[in-house]
């Protein structure tokens, strides 16, 4: 499964300095046969119902979130199964999670 978060910052450059701390982050998960994909992490309190990803063409699932600067851990839940982002996975203590840092 190919997953990769993408950072989009063009919109944030058009706002005042107080808004620059916010970034729109696009998370992508390749899961062509999945019935449903959710995104859970620090940014939504690890709430399984908070961020449902939407299916796009070719079996890609996407979700865009506005996040403030900082580091966040997260995972994808693909049909109920925890799935790490292979482009952002790390080990913290005894857990494996995905990590994204917003500058």
């Amino acid at each position: 499964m190919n997953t990769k978060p993408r950072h989009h910052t063009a919109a944030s450059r058009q706002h005042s300095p107080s808004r620059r701390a916010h970034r729109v982050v696009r998370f992508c998960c390749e899961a062509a046969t999945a019935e449903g994909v959710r995104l859970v992490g620090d940014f939504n309190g690890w709430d399984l119902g908070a961020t449902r990803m939407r299916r796009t063409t070719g079996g890609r699932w996407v979700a865009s979130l506005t996040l403030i600067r900082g580091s966040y851990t997260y995972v994808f839940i693909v049909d109920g199964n925890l799935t790490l982002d292979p482009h952002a996975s790390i080990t913290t203590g005894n857990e494996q999670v995905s990590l994204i840092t917003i500058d």
Side-chain angles (χ1 to χ4, degrees):
M1 180 175 308
N2 182 18
T3 57
K4 185 175 182 181
R6 297 181 188 178
H7 307 270
H8 297 281
T9 59
S12 64
R13 288 192 296 255
Q14 300 171 5
H15 298 290
S16 67
S18 63
R19 296 272 301 167
R20 280 194 201 142
H22 293 82
R23 301 284 189 257
V24 176
V25 181
R26 185 173 189 228
F27 293 86
C28 299
C29 177
E30 299 290 335
T33 60
E35 295 288 324
V37 180
R38 297 172 188 263
L39 174 64
V40 297
D42 297 334
F43 40 75
N44 63 14
W46 297 93
D47 181 355
L48 288 174
T51 309
R52 292 183 180 170
M53 299 181 78
R54 69 177 171 82
R55 181 192 295 267
T56 63
T57 58
R60 175 176 283 175
W61 295 78
V62 297
S64 293
L65 300 176
T66 301
L67 301 174
I68 60 171
R69 291 180 181 176
S71 295
Y72 301 91
T73 55
Y74 67 96
V75 295
F76 299 115
I77 306 296
V78 179
D79 291 340
N81 298 305
L82 184 142
T83 304
L84 297 174
D85 182 338
H87 300 286
S89 297
I90 63 164
T91 300
T92 59
N94 293 330
E95 298 179 345
Q96 282 196 319
V97 293
S98 300
L99 175 72
I100 187 169
T101 300
I102 310 301
D103 295 324

